[in-house]
Amino acid sequence: MGPVSHVLVLEDGAVLPYVYRVTKYDPADRDEHGRYTGTEDTVSDHGEVEAAYLTAVAAFAADAGVDRLAVREPQVSSFGHFGVEPPLAGFGLDGLFPTGRSGFHDGAEVPLDVGLELVRLMLRDSGAWCRLEVEGTFAVHVGWDQYLYVGSGRRCEEAVARVRALGLFPERTGASPYDVEADEKDVRRAADDAFWADLRSAVAASRTGLLEETYVEGASRWHRLALDTIDAVRAGLAPRARLAVWPGLSSDIDAVLAAFPTDGLVEGVWQDEDGRMCSAVVDEEGFPELAARISGAEAAMLLPLYADERVPLFTAVMPDDDGVVRARWGG
C-alpha cells in the first residue's frame, strides 16, 4: 500500500524530529530479526482495535495542535485490487468530500474527522491511499499490515501515553518507510499560459488532439481537443493534475483493431457514438472485449502500459493559483 521511499524531506526542507510506529503488535512477540511472531491478524477488525488506531491519530494530532490535514500523493487501485479485503465501491470515498470523489486530490485540505475516515479506509485497504500532512508539523502514513506511522514536530508524550492505554504499541523510530523522497532532478513543467499556448499551436498543426488528465495516481480522464474546446478543458481540470499530451484519436477503426499486440497490457482510449470519452486497461484475456467495444467507436487509439514505451508528446503539472507546482508526482 503506497510507495516506499527513504528520507522525509518536506517542501520547506524540514525533517520531522519525532516519528512513531504505532501497531497492535507487542514488541515482545518479535524474533531476533524483528519479525512479528504473535497471533494478531494483519487485517482491520472493523471494531475496537480499528477505533483505537483512529483515537491514536487523533491523540497525536491534538498534541501537535493539528485540526486539519492536507491530502498528499493520493492514489487508487487501477488495473487490479490486491488488498486483503474486497474492494469498496468508489474506494469508500463517496460522501467524504463536499464535491464527491473529485475532492480527493493532491493538496486538498480536510478537517481532522475526514482525515480519520481516510485513515480508516486505508486500514481497511479499500483501494484508496494517500499521505496526510501538515507541512513541517505533522504527518500520518498507513502502511501494510496495520502499521501506522505518525511524525510530529513535538515529542507528543501525552499522545504516547494515551496510545499505550488504548492497548496499542507506540515505538519511536527514525523515519517512516512511507516518507516521500525529494528528488531535485524531478522538475515538472507548469501547465501555465505558455504550456496552453504550445498546446493550442500543436492542435492547430494537427500534431495532437488528446489530453490525458491523471487526477490521482491510478486514475485518468481523457479529453479530445479542438481549438474551440481547449479553454473549457483547462477550466475543468483537477487541482495539481498531471497532464500528458498525445496524438489525436484515429477514425480508422480497422487500423486500430489491427494494431492489437499478441500479449501484455494495453490501454484502449476511444470516443463512443454518443461522444463520451472512454478508456480501459486490459491484458490479453481482455483483448476480445476491448476490441468489441472499440469496433463501435467514432475514433480510438491503443497505448502501451510499459513506461519505456509510453511516451507522450509533452507533459506538465497543474500549478496552484499562485503559479507554483507543488504536486509531488513521481517518475
Side-chain angles (χ1 to χ4, degrees), residues 306-318:
Y306 304 105
D308 58 343
E309 301 175 5
R310 190 180 175 97
V311 182
L313 300 175
F314 49 98
T315 64
V317 175
M318 290 295 289

Side-chain angles (χ1 to χ4, degrees), residues 21 78 310:
R21 183 176 72 178
S78 51
R310 190 180 175 97

Side-chain angles (χ1 to χ4, degrees), residues 1-115:
M1 177 185 299
V4 178
S5 300
H6 306 291
V7 180
L8 175 58
V9 181
L10 300 180
E11 287 173 320
D12 61 359
V15 177
L16 293 178
Y18 302 102
V19 180
Y20 301 89
R21 183 176 72 178
V22 178
T23 72
K24 57 185 176 180
Y25 309 119
D26 190 333
D29 294 327
R30 294 185 183 276
D31 63 19
E32 66 273 17
H33 304 293
R35 292 189 293 262
Y36 179 68
T37 59
T39 60
E40 289 285 353
D41 203 342
T42 58
V43 299
S44 174
D45 68 344
H46 294 230
E48 292 182 1
V49 177
E50 178 184 273
Y53 273 94
L54 301 185
T55 302
V57 174
F60 277 107
D63 254 15
V66 166
D67 61 5
R68 297 186 70 82
L69 297 164
V71 172
R72 299 308 315 267
E73 295 79 50
Q75 56 185 262
V76 296
S77 300
S78 51
F79 179 62
H81 177 73
F82 301 103
V84 294
E85 299 191 31
L88 299 176
F91 308 105
L93 295 168
D94 293 334
L96 287 186
F97 301 91
T99 57
R101 254 177 283 170
S102 63
F104 185 60
H105 62 78
D106 189 74
E109 190 175 282
V110 299
L112 180 60
D113 60 342
V114 173

